[in-house]
Amino acid sequence: MRLYQSLKLTTILALSAGISFAQDAPKTTSGNPIAQGWYADPEAKIFGKEYWVYPTFSDKYEKQVLMDAFSSKDLVHWTKHDRIIDTSAVKWAKKAMWAPAVTEKGGKYYLFFGANDIQNDNQVGGIGVAVSKKPGGPFKDYLGKPLIGKIINGAQPIDQFVFKDDDGQYYIVYGGWGHCNIAKLNKNFTDVVPFADGETFKSITPKDYVEGPVMFKRNGKYYLMWSEGGWTGPNYRVAYAIGDSPVGPFNRIDVILKQDMTVATGAGHHSVINIPKTDEWYIVYHRRPLGERDGNHRVTCIDKMYFDAEGHILPVKITNEGVAARVIK
């Protein structure tokens, strides 16, 4: 009798405190953020029928010596892949491993990354390349040195994005300090090669560009997206332009991603996903939780991205719910 009374009292107290003994309801949306922990600058890719997100490990520069990744089959349930690369695999990288960009070619996966936050041409660092047989790593240094280790056209060699055009040509688009460059990668990703006019690094910097370029193609048009403002501030945001070729010209059109003071602050530095053979698009980005003031406390989120009839990107509504399940068929 005493045991029954004790259990009854425990149940009453638990219910009054808002505690439920019922099994948790199935997860129907991704929720934002999509993963626990401080992660920024996400690169989003589709490999086969899986979604992958590769973010920067958001911490002090000296602690940014590794990268994790996340995979999902439905955008809702995510699996963490710990330490897919770290500085033990890249001897010249010492800190500030930033903004991975991952692409598949010839059955191998190539991870482009920034490292060391170089401030001049006398320092070792810049954009490196690592390679793996699997999208979840482990990745090993591919070149033994930076692919781009100099400051060209005023662009700090960081925030690289790899774009594959319909003709099979791969381009690297990158740059911090308010300057954006594009270059053609050679077939083995060991170097860059000149354009037809002999120029190797072309400046394609649009108005108000700061960092974090992304390029994709839709309906024959080239979209260049980038982050503006300061990465620790409330004015961090994403804008875009549309051009007729990978080298533009790119004239700024509008801001499409920014903070919402009812949801989160500092929304920016993103990538996009297009579901194969559809016109469904998602934007994966980082933002800062409300009330959070530590610059490195950023989380990775996902929301839908839409276009109007003229091909312009509509302003993105950032949410706490995230997105519904979407399995790739």
Side-chain angles (χ1 to χ4, degrees), residues 43-55 67-73 78-85 100-112 130-140:
E43 160 86 330
K45 302 292 289 190
I46 293 175
F47 294 126
K49 294 188 177 181
E50 279 193 321
Y51 303 94
W52 285 83
V53 172
Y54 301 86
M67 289 178 171
D68 299 325
F70 300 87
S71 65
S72 174
K73 293 185 183 298
W78 292 88
T79 299
K80 182 180 179 181
H81 303 262
D82 291 292
R83 218 174 182 102
I84 62 169
I85 188 172
V102 184
T103 193
E104 184 274 333
K105 189 174 190 293
K108 294 182 179 180
Y109 299 85
Y110 296 86
L111 185 151
F112 295 72
V131 65
S132 174
K133 294 180 180 179
K134 298 183 293 183
F139 287 86
K140 301 297 183 183

Side-chain angles (χ1 to χ4, degrees), residues 122-137:
N122 297 319
Q123 296 175 313
V124 176
I127 296 171
V129 189
V131 65
S132 174
K133 294 180 180 179
K134 298 183 293 183

Side-chain angles (χ1 to χ4, degrees), residues 159-222:
D159 291 1
Q160 57 293 316
F161 182 84
V162 175
F163 169 69
K164 181 185 179 183
D165 207 347
D166 296 338
D167 62 0
Q169 177 64 55
Y170 288 82
Y171 297 85
I172 186 165
V173 188
Y174 75 93
W177 294 350
H179 296 275
C180 182
N181 289 336
I182 187 169
K184 295 173 68 173
L185 290 163
N186 69 5
K187 292 182 179 180
N188 299 319
F189 296 161
T190 59
D191 206 347
V192 296
V193 294
F195 289 87
D197 62 4
E199 192 175 12
T200 302
F201 293 89
K202 287 184 178 290
S203 174
I204 56 170
T205 309
K207 180 180 180 293
D208 294 339
Y209 173 93
V210 173
E211 60 193 13
V214 169
M215 185 175 286
F216 65 89
K217 195 172 184 179
R218 179 181 181 269
N219 293 340
K221 296 290 186 178
Y222 295 82

Side-chain angles (χ1 to χ4, degrees), residues 219-241:
N219 293 340
K221 296 290 186 178
Y222 295 82
Y223 288 71
L224 178 66
M225 306 177 77
W226 63 89
S227 291
E228 302 177 348
W231 69 275
T232 60
N235 63 341
Y236 205 51
R237 57 192 182 268
V238 171
Y240 81 105

Side-chain angles (χ1 to χ4, degrees), residues 3-4 14 32-33 35 138 147 180 201 222 235 244 288 310 324:
L3 177 61
Y4 169 77
N32 277 327
L147 172 72
C180 182
F201 293 89
Y222 295 82
N235 63 341
D244 293 323
R288 194 166 288 108
E310 286 71 45

Side-chain angles (χ1 to χ4, degrees), residues 37-40 55-60 64 231 295-299:
W38 303 123
Y39 293 101
T56 296
F57 175 61
S58 192
D59 206 331
K60 295 179 180 179
Q64 291 180 316
W231 69 275
N296 287 313
H297 285 180
R298 298 168 290 176
V299 293

Side-chain angles (χ1 to χ4, degrees), residues 10-11 60 67 71 86-87 92 97 104 106 116-117 153 162 179 197 212 214 219 222-223 237 256 281 301 303 313 319:
T10 300
T11 302
K60 295 179 180 179
M67 289 178 171
S71 65
D86 59 32
T87 50
W92 56 268
M97 293 187 74
E104 184 274 333
N116 296 353
D117 183 33
N153 297 331
V162 175
H179 296 275
D197 62 4
V214 169
N219 293 340
Y222 295 82
Y223 288 71
R237 57 192 182 268
I256 60 95
W281 296 79
C301 301
D303 281 301
I313 304 174
T319 70

